[in-house]
Amino acid sequence: MSDKQPEGAGESGEFEQPSVPDDVWERFARDTERDIRSSAPKEPSARARMVTERLRQKEAKGAQPEGWRTGPAMGVPPGRAKSRAWGKEMNGRASRRRRLWAILGVPVAIAVALVAVKPSLLPGDPFGASSNASSGTPSGGASAAALPAESASPTAAPSSAAPGTPTLDRPFAGSPAERWADGAAAIVVPKATPVGTFTSAQVAAALKQAKTLLVGANLAPGTLRGERPESALAVLDPKQPRMLDDVNSWLRAPGKKHDPLMLFSRFDPAEVRPAGDVVKVRGRMTFKAGAHGSVAIHMDYTFVYPLIQADEASKTSGAPTEGSGGGSTEVARTIVRRVLDLELLDPRKYQATSGKLSVIRYDQDLGNTACDVYDGFLHPQFDSAAPTGAPPTGPATDPYDRSRDIKHSGTETCGTLSRT
């Protein structure tokens, strides 16, 4: 028998255990006790047992738990305004969305509490806390979904808008134009490509000039007040025979055969003023190769102008005033559709000015303006005012119907409108 002890053994022949500090054992015992308590099953409270039992009984009966803050469905019956000579007919149905909320747990409850204190934390201002004056949407109202840009010629009139009476806060209420784009932003210039001898840059410049003409003739504040439309005139080619001479005579001495309304939208500031600073616009611009290598530009746009009657101060001074001024708050709309064909000619082949445009065609439909009045201004009709001008004799038309051909034969009559 050997008296050699196993390696690592003590004098007693047993393996010695390494010593552990007391603070380590205390921490180990503390952590172990905490883990045991946290993993131990907990008995539900009396209230929790009561709620669970009630839900179980409802589920057994086939009932579903009530939604949180679920409101009743709200509908608006279709409205209809009286039809009359200058067109005051609106049909439609308003719809409402219902949003159902569910309690998902403590994190969602905390988020709801934060939003209740500060609604601006949610993107898009869903509670309508701020107004949108530029689009005509009132504070607290649901904005209509904007239409995409017009990409092709329409084949039918727009459907009836939701019923509504135009107001200073919502001047386009009850009109399809409420979903149209605002002002110059609605005039989208197409992407330029080379045409004949013209480069892409030259075509792009011509398209930009075409937009300048349309904006200057129909949207510029000075033009709408009856001032000389300088920006629009600057686009026209001075070498086009008689064109500028004719336009200048229209502006200088308006009349039936030389009416500036054939190209420009103008209102008498002593009679009416804009209801807000937005004009709704819809249409499209296209271009192609024209005759003899020119660039032919076609534009077809409809403009909707909301207006109120000028107050006494404005009538006295002959200038529009800001705000309601104590005057009428009734809003009327005048609708103008314009079709223009322009050409960019090659000055190496024709007597033309480089970069200037020639007018080949101009046609227009004027909706809600006095018949047979040729003073160079549009005269909208208000429900509260006596009709002016001659009584309409032509058929009823829809001024929002952009699928109609408006090319005039020279024998057109003043008709009625189905809606404004």
Side-chain angles (χ1 to χ4, degrees):
M1 176 181 289
S2 170
D3 59 2
K4 186 176 181 180
Q5 296 180 352
E7 184 175 349
E11 295 181 356
S12 60
E14 299 178 352
F15 287 91
E16 296 181 348
Q17 300 295 330
S19 62
V20 180
D22 293 339
D23 58 337
V24 174
W25 278 111
E26 290 177 1
R27 185 165 64 251
F28 173 79
R30 219 171 27 244
D31 293 342
T32 302
E33 180 181 1
R34 183 192 61 210
D35 293 340
I36 292 174
R37 290 192 177 189
S38 62
S39 61
K42 297 180 180 179
E43 182 179 358
S45 65
R47 177 175 177 78
R49 291 195 301 271
M50 179 180 65
V51 172
T52 301
E53 178 62 21
R54 185 168 64 247
L55 292 176
R56 187 190 62 77
Q57 292 176 359
K58 286 187 176 184
E59 185 176 359
K61 295 178 181 180
Q64 297 295 327
E66 297 178 357
W68 181 51
R69 295 184 183 177
T70 301
M74 299 178 62
V76 179
R80 188 179 184 86
K82 183 174 67 174
S83 177
R84 50 170 296 170
W86 289 274
K88 294 286 181 183
E89 181 176 343
M90 291 170 285
N91 304 298
R93 184 180 298 273
S95 62
R96 297 288 184 269
R97 286 185 180 179
R98 287 195 306 167
R99 293 185 177 181
L100 303 182
W101 296 73
I103 300 176
L104 300 180
V106 175
V108 174
I110 295 174
V112 171
L114 288 175
V115 170
V117 174
K118 191 175 182 180
S120 62
L121 291 175
L122 284 181
D125 193 18
F127 299 106
S130 61
S131 63
N132 187 355
S134 65
S135 64
T137 303
S139 176
S143 60
L147 289 176
E150 192 173 281
S151 58
S153 297
T155 58
S159 59
S160 298
T165 301
T167 64
L168 290 176
D169 288 334
R170 291 185 61 201
F172 301 99
S175 160
E178 191 166 34
R179 299 181 60 197
W180 293 5
D182 297 353
I187 303 174
V188 179
V189 175
K191 183 179 179 181
T193 56
V195 174
T197 59
F198 294 97
T199 65
S200 294
Q202 290 173 316
V203 174
L207 296 173
K208 184 178 179 180
Q209 289 279 70
K211 177 173 180 176
T212 298
L213 171 61
L214 206 62
V215 171
N218 300 280
L219 296 173
T223 302
L224 298 181
R225 292 193 299 265
E227 299 174 8
R228 185 175 172 82
E230 297 289 358
S231 61
L233 297 178
V235 172
L236 303 181
D237 190 343
K239 293 184 179 181
Q240 182 178 6
R242 298 187 57 184
M243 186 65 206
L244 275 177
D245 290 339
D246 287 347
V247 171
N248 284 323
S249 67
W250 300 348
L251 295 168
R252 184 171 54 251
K256 184 174 182 178
K257 293 185 178 181
H258 39 94
D259 191 349
L261 298 180
M262 289 189 286
L263 271 181
F264 311 110
S265 297
R266 307 165 83 237
F267 299 91
D268 186 352
E271 178 186 353
V272 295
R273 59 189 178 87
D277 57 357
V278 172
V279 176
K280 291 290 187 176
V281 184
R282 186 154 182 82
R284 60 193 293 256
M285 179 191 307
T286 58
F287 71 96
K288 64 180 181 179
H292 309 294
S294 66
V295 179
I297 302 173
H298 179 76
M299 298 189 294
D300 183 346
Y301 283 88
T302 300
F303 303 84
V304 183
Y305 303 94
L307 304 143
I308 61 174
Q309 299 176 77
D311 55 28
E312 293 302 322
S314 175
K315 292 177 182 178
T316 302
S317 64
T321 57
E322 299 296 331
S324 62
S328 172
T329 58
E330 179 188 359
V331 177
R333 290 186 291 254
T334 290
I335 302 98
V336 175
R337 182 181 172 193
R338 298 199 182 277
V339 176
L340 282 171
D341 285 324
L342 310 172
E343 269 194 327
L344 176 67
L345 298 172
D346 189 343
R348 296 172 298 180
K349 300 179 181 179
Y350 301 93
Q351 289 187 355
T353 305
S354 178
K356 299 295 184 178
L357 301 177
S358 298
V359 179
I360 307 303
R361 171 196 174 189
Y362 50 88
D363 281 305
Q364 70 288 328
D365 258 356
L366 310 178
N368 190 21
T369 186
C371 294
D372 297 334
V373 177
Y374 302 103
D375 60 355
F377 295 112
L378 295 161
H379 297 279
Q381 176 65 40
F382 291 84
D383 286 338
S384 61
T388 58
T393 58
T397 58
D398 182 355
Y400 295 99
D401 183 1
R402 294 184 36 75
S403 65
R404 295 184 299 111
D405 184 7
I406 66 169
K407 189 171 184 178
H408 295 156
S409 63
T411 59
E412 65 276 0
T413 58
C414 186
T416 59
L417 297 180
S418 60
R419 56 181 172 177
T420 61

